[in-house]
Amino acid sequence: MALIEIKVPDIGDFSDVSVIELLVKPGDSVKKEQSLITVESDKASMEIPCSASGVIRELKVKLGDKVHEGSVLLMLETSSEHSSSSSSEPTSSIGAPSTPKSIPGASQVMSPETKDGSLAKIRVEVKIPDIGDFKDVSVIELLAKTGDRIEVDQSLITIESDKASMEIPSSHAGVLVELKVKIGDKVNIGDLLAVLESSERVNQETSVPSPPGVSPQALLESPALSTPSAPGAPAAFADPSSSPGLPNKALASPGSSPEVAPSLPLHQPAHNLTANGKIPHASPSVRKFARELAVPLDELKGSGPKGRITHEDVQSFTRSVMLGNAATKAQQIKTGLSQGGSGSGVGSGAALGLIPWPVVDFAKFGPIERKPMSRIKKISGANLHRNWVMIPHVTNHDDADITELEAFRVLTNKENEKSGVKVTMLAFLIKACVACLKKFPEFNSSLDGEDLVYKSYYNIGFAADTPNGLMVPVLKNADSKGVLQISQEMAELAKKARDGKLSPAEMTGATFTISSLGGIGGRYFNPIINAPEVSILGVCKSSTQPVWNGKEFAPRLILPLSLSWDHRVIDGASAARFNAYLGQILSDFRRVLL
Ligand code: COA
């Protein structure tokens, strides 16, 4: 048994790089070359491997620490005698990276339009520089496009092996004439990467073609080749054959956010871009893990530093999908649950494991007329379908005694007759619901992954029946408005909805929705929650009912309430309390002031 220090090995020109991930903890048994931590500079990141097998007794670094070659990472208890000096000495077999090399990585070709030998437009071939022992590494990202003005050392592509990734910089400045690789290509040292048109001074020294024949190892061992700013050389990277390697650094991509088209294959796990056009921020080992599970990394939210996606994030996403709490975009498209597009129609049912939708020749049974669904119906249909299938709905029905409130409403309308503002029960309901949402904040929340987002604003959507179909205008900041103002704004929004003039801003941002069928009829119904909200109140027509007051049956005006709620967020007792409190407020509206 021996207790040895495990130190950061030779990591090339990296110095004072940040520890961004701890991959092990005290008590863990680790194998030689198992990754211990991830470090990251501005151009690259790498996993630092262990130089021996044993049990970790103490971690000597924490997240955010800066480390360099020789920094003690941890104390390891090894089973065999192990000299401390040998274990702590960085060796090339444990992650010594191939440091940036001064291979010019370029050859020049005079362009036809060259007239002057001293300052001429030249075509420069940029080649893959020394990338250590990397062989046949995949191009995962193109960072420049034809016509781009490229600076020396500007990254052109990102390549990735299963253990490491790196940006390949340009050896020259100029305008990018052609990128000679595409995503998915395999590259090696000396491969032609790009052709630039450069206005550089023609210089014999720089016109030396890159030496693909030179052994990377020879270059690695030559101190003269470790110039960090050497053009054509990538940022320092670990030798993948001898090291657990380097994770990827998230990179800005010139690509735009990809629209998910229904024709997409199920997943492109590793290389999808995030909504803001970036490669998801994750280490190569996490990428590999995601690839194995076909997890679309671009759909994950990283919980690590700077939003880095961790191993646990991939596990937890996979768990959520398996439990049916989340669906990948591809799954949504396949099952027809995505918003709009093909999702609005009737799906085959096959993806849900259901028998197919019946195909009937209706004309066989009588005359028919076929009309296309309105755009609004298609969109709202797709949303309702998704919400109905994906949210575990429960509905609590209750009654509220609104006898006094209705008398007050009638009086208010009389008093405000001249103003033109008409107060309906819905305006009181909006005000009363805000009071309930304040008392039961989870009803004003949204699910975001495994987090609940509680909102401190109260924007109430209300379902409006329009000639084109159902629309849900949103009355913003209802908590700061009186019933008269609410009535006025509601009337304006409802008119806009019927005229098809609602702006997107007037239909978004709701925290809770009310669907009132009070002007039409009915008793109770199960309203469908408007995701990402977690509850919705359905209201039907009030009617006079005999209510026992302890002595006798008295005629009371009763309003039927139906509260649907997301059982992932809210439980039945809370829903019953919400309805009871709403009933109390509606029967004595002074409670809204409490
Ligand atoms: N009980 C009894 N009467 C009610 C009532 C209730 N709960 N709610 C409204 N009324 C009365 C109003 O007082 C009004 O009466 P009046 O004409 O005698 O003054 C009448 O019904 C019509 O009211 P309405 O114009 O519908 O106003 P509103 O403020 O209640 O509702 C809208 C406004 C826009 C929400 C409503 O017009 C609408 O479109 N409702 C349909 C919502 C829907 O489709 N929901 C289903 C979604 S799946």
Side-chain angles (χ1 to χ4, degrees):
M1 288 278 190
L3 198 61
I4 62 169
E5 287 182 334
I6 300 295
K7 294 181 179 177
V8 175
D10 172 12
I11 48 174
D13 286 326
F14 275 112
S15 73
D16 289 335
V17 279
S18 297
V19 176
I20 59 159
E21 232 170 351
L22 300 176
L23 304 171
V24 290
K25 57 182 183 323
D28 282 359
S29 290
V30 290
K31 293 215 160 54
K32 188 173 177 186
E33 300 206 349
Q34 182 175 333
S35 297
L36 300 173
I37 62 166
T38 308
V39 294
E40 187 177 68
S41 74
D42 62 335
K43 282 278 184 189
S45 51
M46 71 171 74
E47 290 172 16
I48 302 289
C50 197
S51 53
S53 300
V55 177
I56 295 174
R57 287 293 162 228
E58 192 188 349
L59 272 184
K60 294 282 194 187
V61 288
K62 56 184 186 323
L63 288 180
D65 280 0
K66 304 271 188 203
V67 295
H68 48 79
E69 182 182 341
S71 298
V72 178
L73 292 181
L74 53 86
M75 302 304 297
L76 189 78
E77 190 174 282
T78 58
S79 50
S80 58
E81 277 309 315
H82 206 295
S83 106
S84 143
S85 63
S86 70
S87 68
S88 60
E89 214 161 78
T91 68
S92 63
S93 69
I94 55 160
S98 62
T99 52
K101 301 305 174 293
S102 58
I103 294 177
S107 59
Q108 294 177 349
V109 182
M110 299 295 280
S111 75
E113 63 265 47
T114 300
K115 294 199 173 70
D116 179 334
S118 59
L119 187 62
K121 279 202 170 165
I122 50 169
R123 290 248 164 142
V124 185
E125 289 184 342
V126 178
K127 295 187 174 177
I128 301 287
D130 176 16
I131 47 175
D133 284 342
F134 277 107
K135 296 243 162 43
D136 294 331
V137 200
S138 296
V139 175
I140 63 158
E141 195 184 18
L142 307 180
L143 302 169
K145 58 182 185 321
T146 305
D148 281 0
R149 169 97 229 149
I150 307 294
E151 300 300 331
V152 173
D153 276 350
Q154 182 178 331
S155 299
L156 294 177
I157 60 167
T158 307
I159 58 175
E160 186 181 70
S161 74
D162 60 336
K163 290 284 189 186
S165 60
M166 71 176 77
E167 295 170 34
I168 301 294
S170 177
S171 50
H172 285 72
V175 174
L176 183 57
V177 176
E178 194 182 353
L179 212 47
K180 293 287 192 183
V181 295
K182 56 187 187 318
I183 287 181
D185 280 0
K186 307 272 187 207
V187 295
N188 290 290
I189 179 172
D191 284 354
L192 183 57
L193 170 57
V195 176
L196 298 184
E197 191 167 76
S198 167
S199 304
E200 288 176 1
R201 197 166 289 278
V202 176
N203 176 340
Q204 275 309 108
E205 276 171 45
T206 58
S207 65
V208 179
S210 69
V214 176
S215 142
Q217 201 51 39
L219 294 164
L220 180 72
E221 281 154 13
S222 164
L225 295 174
S226 62
T227 318
S229 60
F237 272 92
D239 171 349
S241 66
S242 57
S243 152
L246 317 170
N248 177 55
K249 174 183 178 295
L251 302 165
S253 157
S256 58
S257 164
E259 288 282 312
V260 180
S263 59
L264 270 184
L266 249 194
H267 303 312
Q268 295 173 310
H271 304 140
N272 283 2
L273 302 180
T274 60
N276 55 6
K278 294 189 171 183
I279 275 207
H281 198 31
S283 69
S285 54
V286 170
R287 280 173 195 290
K288 183 164 180 279
F289 183 51
R291 259 196 301 269
E292 283 165 3
L293 298 176
V295 168
L297 275 184
D298 59 313
E299 294 180 34
L300 267 70
K301 248 180 105 179
S303 63
K306 296 186 197 162
R308 173 175 282 273
I309 297 166
T310 65
H311 200 269
E312 287 71 34
D313 292 333
V314 176
Q315 279 176 327
S316 123
F317 181 82
T318 310
R319 233 186 342 260
S320 296
V321 170
M322 294 311 288
L323 290 171
N325 294 334
T328 63
K329 281 183 193 159
Q331 283 172 326
Q332 290 174 26
I333 288 165
K334 262 204 126 182
T335 53
L337 300 178
S338 65
Q339 288 192 22
S342 60
S344 57
V346 176
S348 73
L352 293 172
L354 305 175
I355 56 169
W357 191 261
V359 180
V360 175
D361 178 9
F362 299 104
K364 226 168 70 178
F365 304 102
I368 60 163
E369 188 187 1
R370 192 173 281 271
K371 285 184 180 173
M373 289 223 291
S374 75
R375 201 180 67 86
I376 289 173
K377 269 224 159 84
K378 280 193 219 159
I379 293 170
S380 64
N383 278 285
L384 290 163
H385 187 186
R386 177 201 57 205
N387 299 345
W388 178 247
V389 174
M390 289 186 74
I391 302 174
H393 283 72
V394 184
T395 307
N396 282 34
H397 303 287
D398 211 337
D399 291 328
D401 185 336
I402 56 165
T403 314
E404 272 80 35
L405 186 58
E406 173 63 7
F408 178 61
R409 186 187 75 84
V410 172
L411 181 69
T412 307
N413 276 338
K414 239 184 221 150
E415 285 172 1
N416 290 281
E417 215 165 2
K418 286 194 185 129
S419 72
V421 178
K422 184 179 151 194
V423 179
T424 63
M425 194 48 68
L426 187 52
F428 286 105
L429 278 163
I430 288 177
K431 202 72 199 158
C433 282
V434 169
C436 294
L437 295 172
K438 285 185 173 172
K439 191 169 172 74
F440 303 100
E442 69 267 35
F443 287 80
N444 204 48
S445 73
S446 284
L447 258 179
D448 186 12
E450 295 191 346
D451 293 337
L452 258 191
V453 180
Y454 290 87
K455 285 153 259 176
S456 308
Y457 52 92
Y458 301 89
N459 296 339
I460 311 299
F462 61 96
D465 186 24
T466 80
N468 289 322
L470 175 69
M471 302 205 71
V472 185
V474 180
L475 197 132
K476 302 271 164 60
N477 305 313
D479 55 319
S480 64
K481 294 171 183 167
V483 169
L484 287 175
Q485 189 182 349
I486 290 175
S487 297
Q488 188 179 352
E489 287 186 19
M490 225 171 56
E492 287 164 8
L493 286 167
K495 182 172 183 325
K496 275 190 176 179
R498 281 191 290 269
D499 296 345
K501 291 194 173 145
L502 278 179
S503 69
E506 288 166 325
M507 291 187 282
T508 48
T511 59
F512 181 82
T513 295
I514 303 177
S515 175
S516 173
L517 295 172
I520 305 168
R523 292 290 286 166
Y524 305 95
F525 68 110
N526 288 10
I528 298 177
I529 296 166
N530 197 15
E533 295 155 44
V534 294
S535 54
I536 180 169
L537 180 72
V539 184
C540 284
K541 197 176 179 68
S542 57
S543 61
T544 303
Q545 304 282 324
V547 176
W548 183 252
N549 64 13
K551 286 191 201 133
E552 58 187 352
F553 281 102
R556 307 294 297 174
L557 190 63
I558 301 300
L559 180 71
L561 305 171
S562 303
L563 180 74
S564 291
W565 39 278
D566 183 338
H567 210 340
R568 295 171 300 179
V569 178
I570 293 161
D571 55 36
S574 301
R577 286 191 194 103
F578 186 103
N579 266 351
Y581 188 60
L582 181 58
Q584 284 174 7
I585 292 175
L586 293 173
S587 64
D588 186 347
F589 212 73
R590 290 172 303 180
R591 287 177 195 275
V592 115
L593 301 168
L594 298 178

